[in-house]
C-alpha cells in the first residue's frame, strides 16, 4: 500500500471518511476507506470498474450509510445523516438527484431550478450565466428538454449545479457518453467552479482530464484505498496503478 500526506494537511477537511465500511445488504463494497477533502481541493477518485468509486460518492452524499467508520463534515460527525440534510450543508452529487423536466423547455427548466435555488429575482441572471457556460443550451432555449440529445440533457442538469456551485461537488462520471468537445466544455466549467472556491470529488474515466484538474488522487482497488496522495507525486506510479492513464484512454 502506498500512501502519502495530501497537500495542505493544515487545512481542516471539508469532508472526511474515516475507516468507512459500506455496502448493499449483505454485500460489502468498501473496506476501511479513509479519505479527506480539504476546502477548495480537487480529489480525483480513480479505480477499475466495480472498485467502489460510486459507493464512496454515495457515502459522501449520504445516499449510502456506512456500516462502520465515520463521515465528518467540517469535523462534525454526520455518519448516517440523511442525504437531503447533507445536501443542505452544501454537498451536491451529480448526476444523481439531478434530473430535467422533459415537457418543459430548456429555459423553463433553468428558470424553475434557479427560482428554487436562488429566488425569483436572481433567477434570470443565473439563466444567462448557464448560457455562457454552455452556449449550446442558449441555442436550444426554446426546445423541450425531452427532445434534447443525451449530452445536452446532461449539460442542462449540470448547469444548475455549476451556476450555483455547492461547497463540495461530487462529480460522478459527468463526461460518460458525452462527445469529446462537450467533455472539454464540462472540464473547463469544473475548473471555473474550482476557481470559485468549491471542492470537487471527481470520479472520471478520462484519467488525463481528472489528473489535470486534481490536487490529490485516491486510487481504489477492491473497495480499499491503495494510493492517496498529491497528484503531482503520482509520477511513474500512474503507469502501474492506472495503465490506461499513459495512453490517454480509460482507466
Ligand atoms: P464503475 O466504474 O463500474 O461504475 P465503481 O468503482 O463505481 O464501478 P461501485 O458502483 O461503487 O463501483 O460498485 C462497487 C461494488 O458494489 C460492485 O461490486 C457492485 O457490483 C456493487 N454494487 C454497486 N451498487 C450496488 C447495488 N445497488 N446493489 C448491490 N451491489 C451493488
Amino acid at each position: 500500500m502506498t500512501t502519502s500526506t495530501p497537500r495542505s494537511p493544515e487545512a481542516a477537511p471539508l469532508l472526511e471518511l474515516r475507516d468507512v465500511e459500506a455496502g448493499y445488504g449483505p454485500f460489502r463494497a468498501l473496506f476501511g476507506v479513509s479519505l479527506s477533502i480539504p476546502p477548495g481541493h480537487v480529489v480525483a477518485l480513480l479505480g477499475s470498474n466495480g472498485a467502489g468509486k460510486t459507493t464512496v460518492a454515495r457515502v459522501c452524499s449520504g445516499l449510502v450509510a456506512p456500516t462502520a467508520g465515520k463521515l465528518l463534515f467540517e469535523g462534525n460527525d454526520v455518519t448516517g445523516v440523511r442525504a437531503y440534510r447533507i445536501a443542505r450543508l452544501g454537498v451536491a452529487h451529480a448526476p444523481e438527484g439531478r434530473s430535467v423536466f422533459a415537457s418543459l423547455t430548456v429555459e423553463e427548466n433553468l428558470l424553475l431550478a434557479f427560482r428554487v435555488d436562488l429566488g425569483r429575482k436572481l433567477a434570470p441572471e443565473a439563466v444567462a450565466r448557464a448560457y455562457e457556460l454552455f452556449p449550446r443550451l442558449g441555442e436550444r432555449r426554446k426546445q423541450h428538454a425531452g427532445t434534447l440529445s443525451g449530452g445536452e440533457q446532461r449539460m442542462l442538469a449540470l448547469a444548475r449545479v455549476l451556476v450555483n456551485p455547492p461547497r463540495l461537488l461530487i462529480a460522478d462520471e459527468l463526461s460518460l457518453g458525452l462527445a469529446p468537445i462537450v467533455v472539454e466544455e464540462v472540464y473547463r466549467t469544473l475548473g471555473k467552479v474550482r476557481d470559485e472556491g468549491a471542492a470537487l470529488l471527481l470520479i472520471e474515466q478520462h484519467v488525463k482530464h481528472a489528473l489535470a484538474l486534481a490536487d490529490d488522487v485516491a486510487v481504489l482497488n477492491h473497495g480499499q484505498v491503495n494510493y492517496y496522495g498529491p497528484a503531482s507525486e503520482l509520477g511513474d506510479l500512474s503507469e502501474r496503478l492506472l495503465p490506461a492513464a499513459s495512453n490517454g484512454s480509460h482507466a
Side-chain angles (χ1 to χ4, degrees):
M1 168 161 159
T2 310
T3 53
S4 102
T5 311
R7 217 183 63 178
S8 300
E10 71 278 2
L14 186 62
L15 196 80
E16 188 180 355
L17 273 69
R18 271 193 208 154
D19 294 322
V20 163
E21 319 258 320
Y24 304 92
F27 178 79
R28 201 187 315 170
L30 302 182
F31 301 84
V33 169
S34 294
L35 196 68
S36 68
I37 308 173
H41 269 223
V42 180
V43 176
L45 184 57
L46 307 175
S48 54
N49 290 126
K53 303 180 297 295
T54 293
T55 308
V56 168
R58 290 183 179 143
V59 167
C60 290
S61 57
L63 291 168
V64 167
T67 50
K70 284 192 186 315
L71 178 69
L72 304 167
F73 186 85
E74 293 186 317
N76 298 312
D77 191 346
V78 291
T79 317
V81 167
R82 303 275 289 276
Y84 77 94
R85 289 187 52 207
I86 292 190
R88 277 193 203 149
L89 296 172
V91 177
H93 188 164
E96 295 212 48
R98 298 280 162 182
S99 54
V100 300
F101 294 102
S103 60
L104 299 184
T105 65
V106 167
E107 185 135 318
E108 287 164 347
N109 264 283
L110 289 172
L111 272 174
L112 185 66
F114 293 133
R115 276 182 193 162
V116 171
D117 290 348
L118 303 167
R120 189 170 284 268
K121 249 177 131 179
L122 296 176
E125 206 178 293
V127 172
R129 178 123 192 269
Y131 294 154
E132 263 170 47
L133 291 175
F134 294 112
R136 180 111 45 126
L137 292 181
E139 292 161 19
R140 305 260 188 273
R141 67 181 75 196
K142 301 271 180 251
Q143 195 170 322
H144 285 125
T147 64
L148 295 173
S149 74
E152 289 162 351
Q153 287 194 21
R154 189 88 56 83
M155 280 188 227
L156 182 54
L158 264 180
R160 177 172 181 181
V161 172
L162 298 179
V163 166
N164 184 27
R167 295 184 67 197
L168 170 65
L169 173 60
I170 300 165
D172 192 351
E173 307 217 342
L174 289 186
S175 61
L176 196 70
L178 297 183
I181 189 166
V182 182
V183 174
E184 299 290 335
E185 213 166 327
V186 166
Y187 265 82
R188 250 197 319 276
T189 312
L190 287 177
K192 284 187 205 159
V193 168
R194 187 263 324 264
D195 294 344
E196 286 172 15
L200 300 176
L201 178 64
L202 276 184
I203 298 171
E204 186 50 78
Q205 299 259 325
H206 293 266
V207 172
K208 278 191 171 171
H209 277 294
L211 291 181
L213 203 59
D215 298 301
D216 304 321
V217 175
V219 180
L220 266 187
N221 192 15
H222 297 298
Q224 291 182 302
V225 177
N226 65 358
Y227 175 87
Y228 184 32
S232 56
E233 286 177 21
L234 202 56
D236 57 357
L237 267 177
S238 67
E239 291 203 6
R240 259 193 301 140
L241 292 167
L242 314 160
S246 54
N247 62 22
S249 64
H250 294 169

